[in-house]
Amino acid sequence: MTDRVHPSAKSTANGGAAAAAANPSFPATKAQLYGATRPTYRPQPNHRRSQRGCCCTLCFWLTLIFLFLLLLLGVAVTAVYFLYHPHRPSFSVTSLKLSYLNLTSSSTLNSKFDLTLSATNPNNKIVFSYLTTSVSILSGDVNVGDGAIPSFEHAEKNTTVLKASVENSMQAPENDALTQLKASLKSKNELTLKVNLETKVEAKMGPLKTPPVGIRVLCDGIAVTLPAGKKPATASTTNSECQVDMRFKVWKWTVG
């Protein structure tokens, strides 16, 4: 009698499971479909986050450097102040003489003034160097004369006398201020005048030297009457006061 070999149930079950896994039945289940088609997830580096971190770090260091420079500037300004005790210069109108001032029918303004100023440097260790100074004389809001003072150097604890010839021969624009000036000239009333100076100045403090800084001087409280003949009329300067507007940009100091 021939022996028959019967495969075990366990082998059949294992083989069937492997075949089913290799060749899934149709239709496939959702788990089988998603498991076969879904790509493997790999996290990508966040470039935006890294760029933000770099920007924040850069801003922090720039702010820190700026604050450090401000601290150095404050220390330098304090040291210079206690070392030199800087004071702004002062000005005063010594005399003002009017040779003539008239308006023609065509509103052409003719005038001539002789101006003398006194400039004082109150500092012990600071020398001022002035560039050319423009001078203008105003009656109300009308410019009645222009002139200039040449450049000069103002030594320590020194008072310098400045002279300028101020003239005008030009047509003035028609406005309320010119109308008022015409009325004053016709009535020969006393005219109230202002002297305006504009220039640039350098300050020298030992090895330190500032760049040219703008300065403006306005002197008011000057009164004058029109001359009766050929002799110039002398203005009253007793009540005149001069205000000096001067700003030093200490962060631009240079070593001379």
Side-chain angles (χ1 to χ4, degrees):
M1 177 181 278
T2 305
D3 293 333
R4 294 181 181 179
V5 180
H6 296 280
S8 65
K10 185 177 181 180
S11 299
T12 304
N14 290 338
N23 300 304
S25 60
F26 185 83
T29 63
K30 289 184 178 181
Q32 291 173 337
L33 289 175
Y34 286 130
T37 59
R38 181 182 298 174
T40 304
Y41 174 75
R42 295 179 181 177
Q44 299 293 327
N46 194 335
H47 295 289
R48 291 184 179 179
R49 184 174 299 175
S50 60
Q51 290 177 357
R52 285 181 183 176
C54 292
C55 291
C56 292
T57 303
L58 180 61
C59 291
F60 171 76
W61 281 109
L62 289 177
T63 304
L64 193 63
I65 292 172
F66 179 72
L67 292 176
F68 180 70
L69 292 177
L70 283 181
L71 179 62
L72 288 181
L73 177 63
V75 172
V77 171
T78 304
V80 170
Y81 177 80
F82 283 105
L83 183 62
Y84 293 101
H85 296 284
H87 297 281
R88 67 182 64 192
S90 61
F91 293 81
S92 61
V93 178
T94 305
S95 69
L96 179 64
K97 294 183 179 181
L98 172 61
S99 297
Y100 57 83
L101 175 61
N102 57 68
L103 272 167
T104 64
S105 57
S106 60
S107 297
T108 300
L109 181 62
N110 299 302
S111 65
K112 182 179 179 181
F113 298 86
D114 291 309
L115 175 66
T116 304
L117 295 164
S118 177
T120 302
N121 181 2
N123 298 282
N124 291 319
K125 301 178 182 179
I126 301 178
V127 177
F128 292 122
S129 295
Y130 292 86
L131 303 182
T132 301
T133 304
S134 63
V135 183
S136 58
I137 297 179
L138 300 94
S139 176
D141 293 331
V142 180
N143 188 343
V144 295
D146 293 302
I149 299 173
S151 59
F152 67 98
E153 188 168 279
H154 208 180
E156 307 96 325
K157 284 291 182 179
N158 177 266
T159 298
T160 302
V161 177
L162 308 172
K163 293 185 178 182
S165 179
V166 183
E167 300 180 6
N168 197 352
S169 181
M170 62 181 298
Q171 188 171 6
E174 291 287 345
N175 50 37
D176 294 339
L178 184 63
T179 302
Q180 185 176 355
L181 178 61
K182 287 180 179 180
S184 298
L185 293 177
K186 287 181 180 180
S187 60
K188 296 184 178 181
N189 291 333
E190 189 176 66
L191 295 177
T192 301
L193 303 177
K194 293 182 291 186
V195 176
N196 185 41
L197 310 176
E198 290 191 12
T199 185
K200 289 186 176 181
V201 60
E202 298 175 350
K204 299 177 182 178
M205 295 166 280
L208 297 177
K209 178 183 177 182
T210 69
V213 177
I215 177 174
R216 182 181 181 184
V217 182
L218 181 62
C219 305
D220 56 6
I222 305 169
V224 66
T225 56
L226 295 177
K230 294 183 178 181
K231 185 178 179 180
T234 301
S236 173
T237 59
T238 305
N239 298 323
S240 65
E241 293 183 359
C242 295
Q243 297 179 352
V244 180
D245 182 11
M246 187 176 187
R247 295 192 181 103
F248 286 105
K249 297 181 179 179
V250 294
W251 54 87
K252 290 187 178 180
W253 275 343
T254 57
V255 178

